[in-house]
Amino acid sequence: MNVDSLYSRTAKPHLAISVLAQAYGLKDKAGWSLATARKQVQADRNPQSKIHSILYRPFDVRFIFYHEAVIERPRPEVMRHILAGENVGLVLPRRVEHTGPWQHVFVTNALVEHVAVSLKTIDYCFPLYLSPSTTAPDMFQQTKRPNLAEWLLPKLTAAYGFTPTPEQMLAYIYAVLSSPPYRARYVEELRIDFPRIPFTADPNIFCRMAALGQELIELHLLRKKVRVAGVRYQGQGSDTIERVRYEAATGRVWINNDKYFENITPEMWEYQIGGYQVLEKYLKDRKGRALTDPIRYIHIAEAIAQTIAYQVQLNNLYVAVEMAVIVP
């Protein structure tokens, strides 16, 4: 759906309120009415500027009409940092309810839906940079600054002999959170509170972890395209997703009786981020609709294949992190 189409569905100036309410299942409630909301939207001089990308589920980026008249909890105190300019942030929950392995972290450069990663509990967004407030300048900083504890960079600079960039810090943290040994060792703590990050005392290990973490960030934002698994979209006929099924013997993911993706390994198909089996969830959320972006699905599958390979490298590298850590 393009931006103009989304706006036209939101405003609908030619439709009666009753028709609009029935078409989209909208009901008035305390503090909100459809009639008032539509008037506010129609009075906005530039409503198209309120349409933004939003991370709906891992790798599943959609559009949202981010207007205070129609969003119940827009959380501008956090999301304004994402909207202010180029930025990136970690997405993770404070706690998880399932009993399996912890895998509840992703990265975003867009707005975030509240269960984008965690299936049952609320996710939090941690932007790398904090931007000045335009509505309360006396209460917030006046220049863009890294969202890091003030003591952290001086401590690492003294230990490493150089000052890590904010981007290196984020990449290192993402590598730690993506490391299977870290997830296994602290699984009980990760279920009940935010992660605690061990910082290696070895500058070489820090740089190697940050380099892997940056590769993961590029992959997960789909800014880096890889071809490691040879995933292809095959078959003739309709692109409508009717029934999603996976054949481990052939490595095929069928979307109907005629079309399929091939070279999907069981590890790729079963790979989970948070509460979602990524490759299955992406297709099932589009059931009954035409798959208009098979190339994107290929990029997602390839990114997962490369992520699995990087996590194998992190198995050994993370062990070196905890051999000597910096004490706050």
Side-chain angles (χ1 to χ4, degrees):
M1 181 187 300
N2 60 38
V3 170
D4 291 336
S5 175
L6 180 59
Y7 170 64
S8 67
R9 287 178 55 182
T10 306
K12 294 286 186 182
H14 61 285
L15 291 182
I17 288 293
S18 58
V19 175
L20 190 62
Q22 183 176 8
Y24 297 109
L26 301 173
K27 296 181 180 180
D28 291 355
K29 60 180 182 179
W32 188 88
S33 75
L34 177 56
T36 300
R38 186 164 73 164
K39 287 179 181 178
Q40 291 174 339
V41 171
Q42 292 172 342
D44 196 312
R45 293 184 177 182
N46 188 19
Q48 284 88 344
S49 68
K50 303 297 194 301
I51 298 177
H52 300 282
S53 298
I54 184 170
L55 180 69
Y56 175 70
R57 297 293 182 265
F59 292 104
D60 192 347
V61 178
R62 306 189 181 189
F63 287 112
I64 184 173
F65 188 58
Y66 190 70
H67 196 291
E68 60 274 10
V70 297
I71 301 296
E72 184 174 12
R73 296 180 181 179
R75 296 301 305 274
E77 70 277 12
V78 176
M79 294 307 169
R80 67 181 179 84
H81 302 297
I82 297 293
L83 296 177
E86 186 174 348
N87 207 348
V88 65
L90 293 176
V91 183
L92 51 86
R94 183 168 190 169
R95 61 182 181 85
V96 296
E97 295 183 358
H98 79 102
T99 57
W102 190 88
Q103 53 221 353
H104 290 65
V105 63
F106 202 59
V107 67
T108 185
N109 56 4
L111 299 174
V112 183
E113 206 268 349
H114 75 298
V115 287
V117 172
S118 180
L119 182 62
K120 296 182 179 179
T121 54
I122 302 300
D123 292 324
Y124 293 77
C125 180
F126 299 87
L128 176 58
Y129 287 101
L130 301 179
S131 298
S133 171
T134 58
T135 58
D138 295 335
M139 297 175 60
F140 295 92
Q141 75 282 356
Q142 297 302 299
T143 59
K144 179 178 176 181
R145 66 178 177 88
N147 186 19
L148 299 169
E150 292 184 1
W151 60 267
L152 185 55
L153 281 179
K155 192 87 170 181
L156 296 186
T157 299
Y160 298 159
F162 66 89
T163 300
T165 66
E167 288 74 17
Q168 283 180 304
M169 296 292 291
L170 177 69
Y172 174 88
I173 292 169
Y174 200 52
V176 168
L177 295 176
S178 300
S179 300
Y182 171 86
R183 294 177 172 187
R185 179 170 182 175
Y186 299 107
V187 62
E188 296 302 327
E189 292 86 348
L190 291 167
R191 287 191 182 123
I192 60 174
D193 205 351
F194 289 125
R196 302 293 188 266
I197 305 299
F199 281 91
T200 177
D202 187 327
N204 179 57
I205 297 298
F206 173 86
C207 290
R208 291 172 63 190
M209 288 286 289
L212 274 177
Q214 189 60 45
E215 289 291 319
L216 288 169
I217 289 172
E218 297 299 311
L219 283 174
H220 295 173
L221 293 177
L222 294 184
R223 295 195 297 212
K224 181 176 182 179
K225 309 299 193 300
V226 295
R227 293 290 289 170
V228 295
V231 178
R232 290 187 295 269
Y233 187 48
Q234 304 281 51
Q236 300 292 326
S238 171
D239 292 313
T240 300
I241 301 173
E242 298 172 358
R243 177 171 173 262
V244 178
R245 57 189 175 91
Y246 175 66
E247 291 179 350
T250 62
R252 293 178 176 179
V253 177
W254 294 84
I255 67 168
N256 54 40
N257 290 332
D258 303 309
K259 305 293 282 286
Y260 59 90
F261 292 91
E262 67 179 5
N263 294 329
I264 305 288
T265 67
E267 292 78 14
M268 294 162 61
W269 177 248
E270 295 167 3
Y271 192 84
Q272 288 196 219
I273 294 176
Y276 307 104
Q277 188 175 328
V278 178
L279 293 181
E280 179 183 50
K281 180 66 174 173
Y282 190 90
L283 293 176
K284 285 193 171 182
D285 276 355
R286 290 159 174 77
K287 187 175 180 180
R289 296 156 50 190
L291 182 64
T292 58
D293 56 352
I295 299 300
R296 181 179 178 85
Y297 190 80
I298 290 172
H299 289 326
I300 294 170
E302 294 282 357
I304 288 174
Q306 186 63 68
T307 296
I308 293 170
Y310 282 148
Q311 287 184 307
V312 172
Q313 296 182 41
L314 287 169
N315 278 330
N316 295 323
L317 187 55
Y318 180 77
V319 174
V321 168
E322 296 217 6
M323 292 180 65
V325 298
I326 296 174
V327 179

